[in-house]
Amino acid sequence: EQKCKPELKELSDSIYHHPELGFEEFHACKVHTELLKKYGFEVETNICGLETAFRGIYKAKKPGPVICYMAEYDALPEIGHGCGHNMLGTSSTGAAIVLKHLVDETGGTVLILGTPAEETSGAKVNMAEEGIFADVDVALMAHPETVYKSSGTSLALQPIQFEFFGKTAHAASHPHKGINALDAAILTFNNINALREHIVSTARVHGVIKEGGTAANIVPEYSRCEFYVRATNKKYLLELTEKVKNCAKAGALATGCTMKHSAYELAYDDLVTNERLNQVFKESIRAYTDDPIEEGTGGGGSIDAGNVSHVVPTIHGYFPIADHPIPGHTREFAEATLTDYAYNKLDEIICILALTGYRVLTEPEVLKEIKEEFEEGLKSGKIIPPRKK
């Protein structure tokens, strides 16, 4: 890791200074793959038909487990890398390079996946559905934070869009001849607000009206609203989404509109952390630092790594880039990735992720326990694999 340390810092900085939105990460994809090629990985781009996705593979001559690291590198509108994905991607690529230098001795395969657009329609969803993880034994990554934190849970997410179609009329002289699509949207919001009393407290439904008319003296013939429906598990998410659809159907029925619903982004599954792999990750943190390790919790957000966790044992840990709290999705968080503190912690997490992978490669009993836990999740219905395409 010491050998490529300056190059990894340069990689993170380069992506920071060239922030790109999801599916537009052409620079980030290029600099990641160039570095991986330099260190002996076979690299393929345009994975799953996504131009800025990539797959890097290094296969030892001796057989063994497949360790997969997942790299993110998309930025946020206006504020750049307010989620620290410049460092996230770098930590995964760095860990893959370090483990590559050990795998000839241990046997096995190191796989690094470049996964675009986590902030919107994350590529991991496509990858999970299209079998990219079919031969993978474990998948892991770590996200910038302000503390070390083990992998926890995330909310399953269903994006849903409602479009209402009515009829224009003069809003003053002939309102009775119009069908108001904006009213249908407003009623949908009111119906959902009434529904909130009767959903579990951990679930979330939130949305915006994207289109609602063009002029105050014209009855709006078209409206469009977008919602995120979230729940702690996939099963309840599907149930709640049907109730939200009924709220929109009622709004359309009450106003005389017709309604169409669609998914405007990909759905994210809840993250099911593999606790045995998580334990190895925590032990690896402790091998490199005495920093406190917070237990992973059910954060209020949704991540596309959740979809991966329903097809292969997965963890999504966290590492600090500052020694004091900084809110995510801010310019301040982005700027923290340029500090000496963050660079030192980047070096640490690369070693931690590499050690986690190394232990899976070299401790058959650990891998057996990881896989047994995953199989139990499948049997209990906690893990629900995607339908095959």
Side-chain angles (χ1 to χ4, degrees):
E1 195 260 336
Q2 291 298 321
K3 180 183 173 185
C4 60
K5 185 175 174 180
E7 292 168 304
L8 292 167
K9 176 181 179 293
E10 184 181 338
L11 175 64
S12 178
D13 287 356
S14 176
I15 294 170
Y16 172 90
H17 290 295
H18 296 85
E20 299 161 305
L21 300 182
F23 301 123
E24 299 173 10
E25 314 100 319
F26 293 100
H27 172 77
C29 181
K30 179 173 178 285
V31 290
H32 271 284
T33 55
E34 284 177 348
L35 188 60
L36 287 163
K37 287 175 185 174
K38 177 180 175 180
Y39 282 95
F41 282 79
E42 290 182 24
V43 176
E44 179 185 357
T45 55
N46 201 21
I47 302 299
C48 296
L50 304 172
E51 286 186 87
T52 56
F54 69 82
R55 171 168 49 196
I57 299 176
Y58 183 83
K59 191 175 290 189
K61 290 177 182 176
K62 291 195 292 184
V66 179
I67 310 298
C68 175
Y69 296 103
M70 298 178 286
E72 298 170 5
Y73 33 76
D74 59 323
L76 293 159
E78 299 183 12
I79 62 173
H81 280 285
C83 220
H85 287 178
N86 54 317
M87 278 204 158
L88 191 163
T90 300
S91 68
S92 289
T93 287
I97 291 170
V98 172
L99 193 59
K100 176 256 177 186
H101 286 92
L102 304 170
V103 77
D104 282 333
E105 176 190 334
T106 66
T109 298
V110 182
L111 172 65
I112 169 79
L113 292 175
T115 62
E118 187 277 331
E119 298 291 351
T120 50
S121 278
K124 297 184 199 69
V125 178
N126 303 79
M127 291 177 174
E129 289 179 349
E130 295 186 23
I132 298 296
F133 296 92
D135 299 321
V136 170
D137 287 283
V138 297
L140 56 158
M141 60 186 294
H143 196 292
E145 241 283 6
T146 53
V147 291
Y148 275 111
K149 189 185 293 186
S150 61
S151 185
T153 61
S154 67
L155 295 177
L157 164 69
Q158 177 63 62
I160 187 165
Q161 169 181 272
F162 297 111
E163 294 176 277
F164 299 97
F165 303 89
K167 183 180 177 183
T168 60
H170 193 292
S173 62
H174 297 91
H176 55 287
K177 293 185 177 180
I179 298 175
N180 196 315
L182 177 59
D183 281 346
I186 291 170
L187 285 173
T188 298
F189 275 82
N190 290 339
N191 293 340
I192 289 170
N193 285 335
L195 176 66
R196 292 184 200 283
E197 182 182 354
H198 307 288
I199 66 177
V200 298
S201 60
T202 52
R204 300 286 183 268
V205 184
H206 44 99
V208 293
I209 295 175
K210 300 289 283 187
E211 296 182 59
T214 55
N217 62 348
I218 303 172
V219 173
E221 68 174 342
Y222 176 76
S223 68
R224 177 168 65 92
C225 46
E226 294 178 352
F227 288 90
Y228 279 157
V229 184
R230 305 186 198 243
T232 54
N233 63 73
K234 193 171 176 178
K235 183 179 178 183
Y236 185 69
L237 177 72
L238 297 174
E239 178 185 325
L240 180 56
T241 299
E242 289 305 309
K243 292 182 178 180
V244 170
K245 287 178 186 176
N246 286 337
C247 290
K249 288 175 185 175
L253 181 64
T255 56
C257 289
T258 56
M259 183 273 287
K260 184 174 85 171
H261 64 80
S262 57
Y264 64 96
E265 291 174 357
L266 296 176
Y268 286 5
D269 291 343
D270 55 307
L271 176 67
V272 181
T273 285
N274 186 279
E275 291 300 341
R276 185 64 186 95
L277 182 58
N278 205 21
Q279 184 61 37
V280 177
F281 175 66
K282 288 187 280 187
E283 290 166 2
S284 299
I285 295 173
R286 190 52 65 229
Y288 282 93
T289 178
D290 292 326
D291 289 0
I293 305 170
E294 291 190 7
E295 287 299 318
T297 55
S302 305
I303 54 176
D304 62 347
N307 297 63
V308 180
S309 73
H310 286 257
V311 297
V312 65
T314 301
I315 59 167
H316 180 288
Y318 298 85
F319 69 100
I321 61 167
D323 60 0
H324 58 282
I326 304 175
H329 286 210
T330 61
R331 289 185 177 85
E332 291 77 13
F333 197 87
E335 289 164 4
T337 66
L338 301 179
T339 63
D340 287 341
Y341 183 93
Y343 295 136
N344 288 334
K345 291 302 179 184
L346 175 63
D347 294 341
E348 261 181 21
I349 193 62
I350 287 170
C351 293
I352 289 162
L353 290 171
L355 177 58
T356 304
Y358 180 81
R359 285 194 56 193
V360 175
L361 288 173
T362 57
E363 299 179 30
E365 189 60 32
V366 168
L367 179 57
K368 180 173 176 282
E369 291 166 358
I370 288 169
K371 292 195 165 188
E372 285 174 351
E373 180 183 330
F374 185 79
E375 291 299 321
E376 282 300 314
L378 287 170
K379 289 176 186 174
S380 69
K382 187 178 182 180
I383 293 171
I384 306 173
R387 289 190 295 270
K388 291 183 179 179
K389 289 193 169 182

